[in-house]
Amino acid sequence: MSRNKHIFIIGSCSPALGNWEHQLGNAAILIGLLTSIHKYLPDAIVTTKYQLSKGFSDTYRIQSLYVEPTKGFRAYRILITLYNLSLSIIWFFFWKILRLDIKFLRSTRLLNTYSNADIIIDLSGDTYGDNIPFKNFVKHSLELITARFLEKPIVSLANSPGPFSGKFKKFIARITFNNISLITTREPISADLLRSIGVKTPIVTTACPAFLLEPVQEYKLKEILQKEGIEEEYKPTVGFTLGGYNLYSKPTWDIPESLEDLQLYVPVLKFLLEELHAQVVLIPHVYRMDPYSGQMIQGPDYTILKSLSRIISKDVEYKNLKIIEGTYSPQEVKGLIGKMDLYITGRLHAGVAALSQCVPTVLLSYGHKHLGFAKLLNQEKYVWEPSMGPDGLLTIVKQIWENKEKVTEELHKRVPLIKKLAELNVKILKDILDLDKELRICLPNKLLDNWKSNIYKKVSGKVC
């Protein structure tokens, strides 16, 4: 009997406990991916360097492994990365030239985990590039190269890498990506970006696994709406989400130093409240983890949205302006977002929660991924760039509201196809794991052609 397939998930995101759970977008990606893996690879053993709570790990059948220190001196962690790389190069020499497997050369925690894996998934989202410090970018690049020296297939799965500023960073990215087996991007703009810097590794455009997340059951959702004072029958109801990266003067993943940029969003909220007479629901999409209890608590999104609420209500108290006070699971928040008649969001995966339920959505962009996701769904005209200013945002919101029936109809056509693309990520993994080991690193052209033409051709009419 063949042994269970081992899948190891790494990435350039922070591996700290809670990062993949309190950030609901990350959680939606991981839950969607794991659900799909266990559907198509039911016997697979999935491990990750990302630290997850026991409850999450048990629910979604994934095990966190401690393969490197997450604290301590920066130089020490870099030295460990270089040490692992050196050992893998020496092991590669003995294996390639002399066909000797010197096991003690791959006995560190990370190298042993790499060695036991049948395939390594790089799940970095949009962090591999300019969105992380340069030292983290280099460190993750070296970790991927290390896995390659151990003769392991590596798939960059459903990410939006880049941009890469400067020739040196482009050079590192090109070397790294050209030493892995396959890249799937979750939108087409990232695929074009990688090709533009000279990446030759095969690229297949799929879609984000977060599209596969199912919302909570209706009866539980009704309880949440009642608890939060949201009137379910109120029409229209508009959802609104912001994160620190939508305050463009000093963008941050956390709470910005200044909240002055919130003035950008005042005109559109006043339009919704005063002219559309909408029930506006401010919905946080990123929490924090209480270090003592391990429970989710409100995070930067709540602080930003609460400040926006105070600005809007400075002169007039709007009874139809609500903010979600509780913390909820990704499925619960997705169900809540699905009740909106219109959604405006700077958090991309809050937008995925809306779009995947065919809710007309305006994306507030801070990177190329927003436009890329919109292109998959033929929604490019409803992506707002900060250069457009508050008047541009107001124009887009008025336009999408006027065309909401057509937008909803288009989404009903596109979303089922996009979900098939999201599932394609794991079908690709299964096809690779079904190959003989020696074929998993340099994949057969026939397999590549099949992936590129099978589903994606149906979705867009072209091969990416």
CSV table of all heavy atoms in Angstrom, one decimal, residues 13-69:
chain,number,residue,atom,x,y,z
A,13,CYS,N,4.4,34.9,5.1
A,13,CYS,CA,3.6,35.6,6.1
A,13,CYS,C,4.2,35.3,7.5
A,13,CYS,O,4.9,34.3,7.7
A,13,CYS,CB,2.1,35.1,6.1
A,13,CYS,SG,1.3,35.3,4.5
A,14,SER,N,3.8,36.1,8.5
A,14,SER,CA,4.3,35.8,9.9
A,14,SER,C,3.7,34.4,10.3
A,14,SER,O,2.5,34.2,10.2
A,14,SER,CB,3.8,36.9,10.8
A,14,SER,OG,4.0,36.5,12.2
A,15,PRO,N,4.6,33.6,10.9
A,15,PRO,CA,4.1,32.3,11.4
A,15,PRO,C,3.5,32.4,12.8
A,15,PRO,O,3.1,31.3,13.3
A,15,PRO,CB,5.3,31.4,11.4
A,15,PRO,CG,6.4,32.4,11.7
A,15,PRO,CD,6.0,33.7,11.0
A,16,ALA,N,3.4,33.6,13.4
A,16,ALA,CA,3.0,33.7,14.8
A,16,ALA,C,1.6,33.2,15.0
A,16,ALA,O,0.7,33.3,14.2
A,16,ALA,CB,3.1,35.1,15.2
A,17,LEU,N,1.4,32.6,16.2
A,17,LEU,CA,0.1,32.1,16.6
A,17,LEU,C,-1.0,33.2,16.5
A,17,LEU,O,-0.9,34.3,17.0
A,17,LEU,CB,0.1,31.6,18.1
A,17,LEU,CG,-1.2,31.0,18.6
A,17,LEU,CD1,-1.6,29.8,17.9
A,17,LEU,CD2,-1.1,30.7,20.1
A,18,GLY,N,-2.1,32.8,15.8
A,18,GLY,CA,-3.2,33.7,15.6
A,18,GLY,C,-3.2,34.5,14.3
A,18,GLY,O,-4.3,34.9,13.8
A,19,ASN,N,-2.1,34.6,13.6
A,19,ASN,CA,-2.0,35.4,12.4
A,19,ASN,C,-2.9,34.9,11.3
A,19,ASN,O,-3.5,35.6,10.5
A,19,ASN,CB,-0.6,35.5,11.9
A,19,ASN,CG,-0.5,36.4,10.7
A,19,ASN,OD1,-0.8,37.6,10.8
A,19,ASN,ND2,0.0,35.9,9.6
A,20,TRP,N,-3.1,33.5,11.2
A,20,TRP,CA,-3.9,33.0,10.2
A,20,TRP,C,-5.3,32.7,10.7
A,20,TRP,O,-6.1,32.1,10.0
A,20,TRP,CB,-3.3,31.7,9.7
A,20,TRP,CG,-2.3,31.9,8.7
A,20,TRP,CD1,-1.0,32.3,8.9
A,20,TRP,CD2,-2.4,32.0,7.2
A,20,TRP,NE1,-0.3,32.5,7.7
A,20,TRP,CE2,-1.2,32.3,6.7
A,20,TRP,CE3,-3.5,31.7,6.4
A,20,TRP,CZ2,-1.0,32.5,5.3
A,20,TRP,CZ3,-3.3,31.8,5.0
A,20,TRP,CH2,-2.1,32.2,4.5
A,21,GLU,N,-5.7,33.2,11.9
A,21,GLU,CA,-7.0,33.1,12.4
A,21,GLU,C,-7.7,34.4,12.7
A,21,GLU,O,-8.8,34.6,12.3
A,21,GLU,CB,-7.0,32.2,13.7
A,21,GLU,CG,-6.5,30.8,13.4
A,21,GLU,CD,-6.3,30.0,14.6
A,21,GLU,OE1,-7.3,29.7,15.3
A,21,GLU,OE2,-5.2,29.6,14.9
A,22,HIS,N,-6.9,35.4,13.3
A,22,HIS,CA,-7.6,36.6,13.6
A,22,HIS,C,-7.7,37.5,12.3
A,22,HIS,O,-8.5,38.4,12.3
A,22,HIS,CB,-6.8,37.4,14.7
A,22,HIS,CG,-5.4,37.8,14.4
A,22,HIS,ND1,-5.1,38.6,13.3
A,22,HIS,CD2,-4.2,37.5,15.0
A,22,HIS,CE1,-3.8,38.9,13.3
A,22,HIS,NE2,-3.2,38.2,14.3
A,23,GLN,N,-6.9,37.2,11.3
A,23,GLN,CA,-7.1,37.9,10.0
A,23,GLN,C,-8.0,37.0,9.2
A,23,GLN,O,-7.7,35.9,8.7
A,23,GLN,CB,-5.7,37.9,9.3
A,23,GLN,CG,-5.4,39.2,8.5
A,23,GLN,CD,-6.1,39.2,7.1
A,23,GLN,OE1,-7.1,38.5,6.9
A,23,GLN,NE2,-5.6,40.0,6.2
A,24,LEU,N,-9.3,37.4,9.1
A,24,LEU,CA,-10.3,36.6,8.6
A,24,LEU,C,-10.1,36.2,7.1
A,24,LEU,O,-10.5,35.2,6.6
A,24,LEU,CB,-11.7,37.2,8.7
A,24,LEU,CG,-12.2,37.5,10.2
A,24,LEU,CD1,-13.6,38.0,10.2
A,24,LEU,CD2,-12.0,36.2,11.0
A,25,GLY,N,-9.4,37.1,6.4
A,25,GLY,CA,-9.1,36.8,5.0
A,25,GLY,C,-8.1,35.6,4.9
A,25,GLY,O,-8.3,34.7,4.1
A,26,ASN,N,-7.1,35.6,5.7
A,26,ASN,CA,-6.1,34.5,5.8
A,26,ASN,C,-6.9,33.2,6.2
A,26,ASN,O,-6.6,32.2,5.6
A,26,ASN,CB,-5.0,34.8,6.8
A,26,ASN,CG,-4.0,35.7,6.3
A,26,ASN,OD1,-4.0,36.2,5.2
A,26,ASN,ND2,-3.1,36.1,7.2
A,27,ALA,N,-7.7,33.3,7.2
A,27,ALA,CA,-8.5,32.2,7.6
A,27,ALA,C,-9.4,31.6,6.5
A,27,ALA,O,-9.5,30.4,6.3
A,27,ALA,CB,-9.3,32.5,8.9
A,28,ALA,N,-10.0,32.5,5.8
A,28,ALA,CA,-10.9,32.0,4.7
A,28,ALA,C,-10.1,31.3,3.6
A,28,ALA,O,-10.5,30.3,3.1
A,28,ALA,CB,-11.6,33.2,4.0
A,29,ILE,N,-8.9,31.8,3.3
A,29,ILE,CA,-8.0,31.2,2.3
A,29,ILE,C,-7.6,29.8,2.8
A,29,ILE,O,-7.7,28.8,2.1
A,29,ILE,CB,-6.7,32.0,2.1
A,29,ILE,CG1,-7.0,33.3,1.5
A,29,ILE,CG2,-5.7,31.2,1.3
A,29,ILE,CD1,-5.8,34.3,1.5
A,30,LEU,N,-7.2,29.7,4.1
A,30,LEU,CA,-6.7,28.4,4.6
A,30,LEU,C,-7.8,27.4,4.7
A,30,LEU,O,-7.7,26.2,4.4
A,30,LEU,CB,-6.0,28.6,6.0
A,30,LEU,CG,-5.1,27.5,6.5
A,30,LEU,CD1,-4.1,27.1,5.4
A,30,LEU,CD2,-4.4,27.9,7.8
A,31,ILE,N,-9.0,27.9,5.2
A,31,ILE,CA,-10.1,26.9,5.4
A,31,ILE,C,-10.6,26.4,4.0
A,31,ILE,O,-10.9,25.3,3.8
A,31,ILE,CB,-11.3,27.6,6.1
A,31,ILE,CG1,-10.9,27.9,7.5
A,31,ILE,CG2,-12.6,26.8,6.0
A,31,ILE,CD1,-11.9,28.8,8.3
A,32,GLY,N,-10.7,27.4,3.0
A,32,GLY,CA,-11.1,27.0,1.7
A,32,GLY,C,-10.1,26.0,1.1
A,32,GLY,O,-10.5,25.0,0.4
A,33,LEU,N,-8.8,26.2,1.3
A,33,LEU,CA,-7.8,25.3,0.8
A,33,LEU,C,-7.8,23.9,1.4
A,33,LEU,O,-7.8,22.9,0.8
A,33,LEU,CB,-6.4,25.9,0.9
A,33,LEU,CG,-5.2,25.1,0.5
A,33,LEU,CD1,-5.3,24.7,-1.0
A,33,LEU,CD2,-3.9,25.8,0.8
A,34,LEU,N,-7.9,23.9,2.8
A,34,LEU,CA,-7.9,22.6,3.5
A,34,LEU,C,-9.2,21.8,3.2
A,34,LEU,O,-9.1,20.6,3.1
A,34,LEU,CB,-7.8,22.9,5.0
A,34,LEU,CG,-6.4,23.5,5.4
A,34,LEU,CD1,-6.5,23.9,6.9
A,34,LEU,CD2,-5.3,22.4,5.3
A,35,THR,N,-10.3,22.5,3.1
A,35,THR,CA,-11.5,21.8,2.7
A,35,THR,C,-11.4,21.1,1.4
A,35,THR,O,-11.8,20.0,1.2
A,35,THR,CB,-12.7,22.8,2.7
A,35,THR,OG1,-12.8,23.4,4.0
A,35,THR,CG2,-14.0,22.1,2.4
A,36,SER,N,-10.8,21.8,0.4
A,36,SER,CA,-10.6,21.3,-0.9
A,36,SER,C,-9.6,20.1,-0.9
A,36,SER,O,-9.7,19.1,-1.6
A,36,SER,CB,-10.1,22.4,-1.8
A,36,SER,OG,-10.2,22.0,-3.2
A,37,ILE,N,-8.5,20.3,-0.1
A,37,ILE,CA,-7.5,19.2,0.0
A,37,ILE,C,-8.1,17.9,0.5
A,37,ILE,O,-7.9,16.8,0.0
A,37,ILE,CB,-6.3,19.7,0.9
A,37,ILE,CG1,-5.4,20.7,0.1
A,37,ILE,CG2,-5.5,18.5,1.3
A,37,ILE,CD1,-4.3,21.3,1.0
A,38,HIS,N,-8.9,18.1,1.6
A,38,HIS,CA,-9.4,16.9,2.2
A,38,HIS,C,-10.6,16.3,1.4
A,38,HIS,O,-10.9,15.1,1.5
A,38,HIS,CB,-9.9,17.2,3.6
A,38,HIS,CG,-8.8,17.5,4.6
A,38,HIS,ND1,-7.7,16.7,4.7
A,38,HIS,CD2,-8.6,18.6,5.4
A,38,HIS,CE1,-6.8,17.3,5.5
A,38,HIS,NE2,-7.3,18.4,6.0
A,39,LYS,N,-11.1,17.1,0.4
A,39,LYS,CA,-12.1,16.5,-0.5
A,39,LYS,C,-11.4,15.7,-1.6
A,39,LYS,O,-11.9,14.6,-1.9
A,39,LYS,CB,-12.9,17.7,-1.1
A,39,LYS,CG,-13.8,17.3,-2.2
A,39,LYS,CD,-14.5,18.5,-2.8
A,39,LYS,CE,-15.5,18.2,-4.0
A,39,LYS,NZ,-16.1,19.4,-4.6
A,40,TYR,N,-10.4,16.2,-2.2
A,40,TYR,CA,-9.7,15.5,-3.3
A,40,TYR,C,-8.5,14.6,-2.9
A,40,TYR,O,-8.1,13.8,-3.6
A,40,TYR,CB,-9.2,16.6,-4.3
A,40,TYR,CG,-10.4,17.3,-5.0
A,40,TYR,CD1,-10.7,18.6,-4.7
A,40,TYR,CD2,-11.1,16.6,-6.0
A,40,TYR,CE1,-11.8,19.2,-5.3
A,40,TYR,CE2,-12.2,17.2,-6.6
A,40,TYR,CZ,-12.5,18.5,-6.3
A,40,TYR,OH,-13.6,19.2,-6.9
A,41,LEU,N,-8.0,14.9,-1.7
A,41,LEU,CA,-6.9,14.1,-1.2
A,41,LEU,C,-7.2,13.7,0.3
A,41,LEU,O,-6.6,14.1,1.2
A,41,LEU,CB,-5.6,14.8,-1.2
A,41,LEU,CG,-5.0,15.2,-2.6
A,41,LEU,CD1,-4.0,16.3,-2.5
A,41,LEU,CD2,-4.4,14.0,-3.2
A,42,PRO,N,-8.2,12.8,0.4
A,42,PRO,CA,-8.8,12.5,1.8
A,42,PRO,C,-7.8,11.9,2.7
A,42,PRO,O,-8.0,12.1,4.0
A,42,PRO,CB,-9.9,11.6,1.5
A,42,PRO,CG,-9.7,11.0,0.1
A,42,PRO,CD,-9.0,12.1,-0.6
A,43,ASP,N,-6.8,11.3,2.3
A,43,ASP,CA,-5.8,10.7,3.2
A,43,ASP,C,-4.5,11.5,3.4
A,43,ASP,O,-3.6,11.1,4.0
A,43,ASP,CB,-5.4,9.3,2.6
A,43,ASP,CG,-6.5,8.3,2.5
A,43,ASP,OD1,-7.4,8.4,3.5
A,43,ASP,OD2,-6.6,7.5,1.6
A,44,ALA,N,-4.5,12.7,2.8
A,44,ALA,CA,-3.4,13.6,2.9
A,44,ALA,C,-3.1,14.0,4.4
A,44,ALA,O,-4.1,14.3,5.1
A,44,ALA,CB,-3.5,14.8,2.0
A,45,ILE,N,-1.9,14.1,4.7
A,45,ILE,CA,-1.4,14.6,6.0
A,45,ILE,C,-0.9,16.0,5.8
A,45,ILE,O,0.1,16.2,5.0
A,45,ILE,CB,-0.4,13.7,6.7
A,45,ILE,CG1,-1.0,12.4,7.0
A,45,ILE,CG2,0.1,14.4,8.0
A,45,ILE,CD1,-0.1,11.3,7.5
A,46,VAL,N,-1.5,17.0,6.3
A,46,VAL,CA,-1.2,18.4,6.0
A,46,VAL,C,-0.5,19.0,7.3
A,46,VAL,O,-1.1,19.0,8.4
A,46,VAL,CB,-2.4,19.3,5.6
A,46,VAL,CG1,-1.9,20.7,5.2
A,46,VAL,CG2,-3.2,18.6,4.5
A,47,THR,N,0.7,19.6,7.1
A,47,THR,CA,1.4,20.3,8.2
A,47,THR,C,1.8,21.6,7.7
A,47,THR,O,1.8,21.9,6.5
A,47,THR,CB,2.7,19.5,8.6
A,47,THR,OG1,3.5,19.3,7.5
A,47,THR,CG2,2.3,18.1,9.2
A,48,THR,N,2.1,22.5,8.6
A,48,THR,CA,2.5,23.9,8.3
A,48,THR,C,3.4,24.5,9.3
A,48,THR,O,3.4,24.1,10.5
A,48,THR,CB,1.2,24.8,8.2
A,48,THR,OG1,1.6,26.1,7.8
A,48,THR,CG2,0.5,24.8,9.5
A,49,LYS,N,4.2,25.5,8.8
A,49,LYS,CA,5.0,26.2,9.8
A,49,LYS,C,4.2,27.3,10.5
A,49,LYS,O,4.6,27.8,11.5
A,49,LYS,CB,6.2,26.8,9.1
A,49,LYS,CG,5.9,28.1,8.3
A,49,LYS,CD,7.2,28.8,7.9
A,49,LYS,CE,6.8,30.2,7.4
A,49,LYS,NZ,8.0,31.0,7.1
A,50,TYR,N,3.0,27.6,9.9
A,50,TYR,CA,2.2,28.6,10.5
A,50,TYR,C,1.6,28.1,11.8
A,50,TYR,O,1.1,26.9,11.8
A,50,TYR,CB,1.1,29.0,9.6
A,50,TYR,CG,1.5,29.8,8.3
A,50,TYR,CD1,1.1,29.4,7.1
A,50,TYR,CD2,2.4,30.9,8.5
A,50,TYR,CE1,1.6,30.0,5.9
A,50,TYR,CE2,2.8,31.5,7.3
A,50,TYR,CZ,2.4,31.1,6.1
A,50,TYR,OH,2.8,31.8,5.0
A,51,GLN,N,1.7,28.8,12.9
A,51,GLN,CA,1.2,28.4,14.2
A,51,GLN,C,-0.3,28.6,14.3
A,51,GLN,O,-0.8,29.7,14.2
A,51,GLN,CB,1.9,29.1,15.3
A,51,GLN,CG,3.4,28.8,15.3
A,51,GLN,CD,3.8,27.3,15.3
A,51,GLN,OE1,3.4,26.6,16.3
A,51,GLN,NE2,4.4,26.8,14.3
A,52,LEU,N,-1.1,27.5,14.5
A,52,LEU,CA,-2.5,27.6,14.6
A,52,LEU,C,-3.0,27.1,16.0
A,52,LEU,O,-2.3,26.3,16.6
A,52,LEU,CB,-3.1,26.7,13.5
A,52,LEU,CG,-2.7,27.1,12.1
A,52,LEU,CD1,-3.1,26.0,11.1
A,52,LEU,CD2,-3.3,28.4,11.6
A,53,SER,N,-4.2,27.5,16.4
A,53,SER,CA,-4.7,27.0,17.6
A,53,SER,C,-5.1,25.6,17.5
A,53,SER,O,-5.4,25.1,16.4
A,53,SER,CB,-5.9,27.9,18.0
A,53,SER,OG,-7.0,27.7,17.1
A,54,LYS,N,-5.2,24.9,18.6
A,54,LYS,CA,-5.6,23.5,18.6
A,54,LYS,C,-7.0,23.3,18.1
A,54,LYS,O,-7.2,22.4,17.3
A,54,LYS,CB,-5.5,22.9,20.0
A,54,LYS,CG,-5.8,21.4,20.1
A,54,LYS,CD,-5.7,20.9,21.5
A,54,LYS,CE,-5.8,19.4,21.5
A,54,LYS,NZ,-7.1,18.9,21.0
A,55,GLY,N,-7.9,24.2,18.4
A,55,GLY,CA,-9.3,24.1,17.9
A,55,GLY,C,-9.3,24.2,16.4
A,55,GLY,O,-10.0,23.4,15.7
A,56,PHE,N,-8.6,25.2,15.8
A,56,PHE,CA,-8.5,25.3,14.3
A,56,PHE,C,-7.9,24.1,13.7
A,56,PHE,O,-8.4,23.5,12.7
A,56,PHE,CB,-7.8,26.6,14.0
A,56,PHE,CG,-7.8,26.9,12.5
A,56,PHE,CD1,-8.7,27.9,12.0
A,56,PHE,CD2,-6.9,26.3,11.6
A,56,PHE,CE1,-8.7,28.2,10.7
A,56,PHE,CE2,-7.0,26.7,10.3
A,56,PHE,CZ,-7.9,27.6,9.8
A,57,SER,N,-6.8,23.7,14.3
A,57,SER,CA,-6.0,22.5,13.7
A,57,SER,C,-6.9,21.2,13.7
A,57,SER,O,-6.9,20.5,12.7
A,57,SER,CB,-4.7,22.3,14.6
A,57,SER,OG,-3.9,23.4,14.5
A,58,ASP,N,-7.6,21.0,14.8
A,58,ASP,CA,-8.4,19.8,14.9
A,58,ASP,C,-9.6,19.9,13.9
A,58,ASP,O,-9.9,18.9,13.3
A,58,ASP,CB,-8.9,19.6,16.3
A,58,ASP,CG,-7.8,19.3,17.3
A,58,ASP,OD1,-6.7,18.9,16.9
A,58,ASP,OD2,-8.1,19.4,18.5
A,59,THR,N,-10.2,21.0,13.8
A,59,THR,CA,-11.4,21.2,13.0
A,59,THR,C,-11.0,21.0,11.5
A,59,THR,O,-11.8,20.3,10.8
A,59,THR,CB,-12.0,22.6,13.1
A,59,THR,OG1,-12.4,22.7,14.5
A,59,THR,CG2,-13.2,22.8,12.2
A,60,TYR,N,-9.9,21.5,11.1
A,60,TYR,CA,-9.5,21.5,9.6
A,60,TYR,C,-8.4,20.5,9.3
A,60,TYR,O,-7.9,20.5,8.2
A,60,TYR,CB,-9.2,22.9,9.2
A,60,TYR,CG,-10.4,23.8,9.4
A,60,TYR,CD1,-10.4,24.8,10.4
A,60,TYR,CD2,-11.5,23.7,8.6
A,60,TYR,CE1,-11.5,25.6,10.6
A,60,TYR,CE2,-12.6,24.5,8.8
A,60,TYR,CZ,-12.6,25.5,9.8
A,60,TYR,OH,-13.7,26.3,10.0
A,61,ARG,N,-8.0,19.7,10.3
A,61,ARG,CA,-7.1,18.6,10.0
A,61,ARG,C,-5.8,19.1,9.4
A,61,ARG,O,-5.3,18.7,8.4
A,61,ARG,CB,-7.7,17.5,9.1
A,61,ARG,CG,-8.9,16.8,9.7
A,61,ARG,CD,-9.7,16.0,8.7
A,61,ARG,NE,-8.8,15.1,8.0
A,61,ARG,CZ,-9.2,14.5,6.9
A,61,ARG,NH1,-10.4,14.8,6.3
A,61,ARG,NH2,-8.4,13.6,6.3
A,62,ILE,N,-5.1,19.9,10.2
A,62,ILE,CA,-3.8,20.4,9.9
A,62,ILE,C,-3.0,20.5,11.2
A,62,ILE,O,-3.5,20.8,12.2
A,62,ILE,CB,-3.9,21.8,9.2
A,62,ILE,CG1,-2.5,22.3,8.8
A,62,ILE,CG2,-4.6,22.8,10.1
A,62,ILE,CD1,-2.5,23.6,7.9
A,63,GLN,N,-1.7,20.2,11.1
A,63,GLN,CA,-0.8,20.2,12.2
A,63,GLN,C,0.3,21.3,12.1
A,63,GLN,O,0.9,21.4,11.1
A,63,GLN,CB,-0.2,18.9,12.4
A,63,GLN,CG,0.7,18.8,13.6
A,63,GLN,CD,1.4,17.5,13.8
A,63,GLN,OE1,1.2,16.6,12.9
A,63,GLN,NE2,2.3,17.3,14.8
A,64,SER,N,0.4,22.2,13.1
A,64,SER,CA,1.5,23.1,13.1
A,64,SER,C,2.7,22.5,13.6
A,64,SER,O,2.7,21.8,14.6
A,64,SER,CB,1.1,24.3,14.0
A,64,SER,OG,0.0,25.0,13.5
A,65,LEU,N,3.9,22.8,12.9
A,65,LEU,CA,5.2,22.3,13.3
A,65,LEU,C,6.1,23.4,13.7
A,65,LEU,O,6.1,24.5,13.0
A,65,LEU,CB,5.8,21.5,12.2
A,65,LEU,CG,5.0,20.2,11.7
A,65,LEU,CD1,5.8,19.6,10.5
A,65,LEU,CD2,4.8,19.2,12.8
A,66,TYR,N,6.8,23.3,14.7
A,66,TYR,CA,7.8,24.3,15.1
A,66,TYR,C,9.1,24.0,14.4
A,66,TYR,O,9.9,23.1,14.9
A,66,TYR,CB,8.0,24.3,16.6
A,66,TYR,CG,8.9,25.3,17.2
A,66,TYR,CD1,8.5,26.7,17.2
A,66,TYR,CD2,10.2,25.0,17.6
A,66,TYR,CE1,9.4,27.6,17.7
A,66,TYR,CE2,11.1,25.9,18.1
A,66,TYR,CZ,10.7,27.3,18.1
A,66,TYR,OH,11.6,28.2,18.6
A,67,VAL,N,9.4,24.6,13.3
A,67,VAL,CA,10.6,24.3,12.5
A,67,VAL,C,11.6,25.3,12.6
A,67,VAL,O,12.7,25.1,12.1
A,67,VAL,CB,10.2,24.0,11.0
A,67,VAL,CG1,9.3,22.8,10.9
A,67,VAL,CG2,9.5,25.3,10.4
A,68,GLU,N,11.4,26.5,13.2
A,68,GLU,CA,12.4,27.5,13.3
A,68,GLU,C,12.0,28.4,14.5
A,68,GLU,O,10.8,28.5,14.8
A,68,GLU,CB,12.4,28.3,12.0
A,68,GLU,CG,11.1,29.0,11.6
A,68,GLU,CD,11.2,29.7,10.3
A,68,GLU,OE1,12.3,29.8,9.7
A,68,GLU,OE2,10.2,30.3,9.9
A,69,PRO,N,12.9,29.1,15.1
A,69,PRO,CA,12.5,30.1,16.1
A,69,PRO,C,11.8,31.3,15.5
A,69,PRO,O,12.1,31.8,14.5
A,69,PRO,CB,13.9,30.5,16.7
A,69,PRO,CG,14.9,30.2,15.6
A,69,PRO,CD,14.4,29.1,14.8
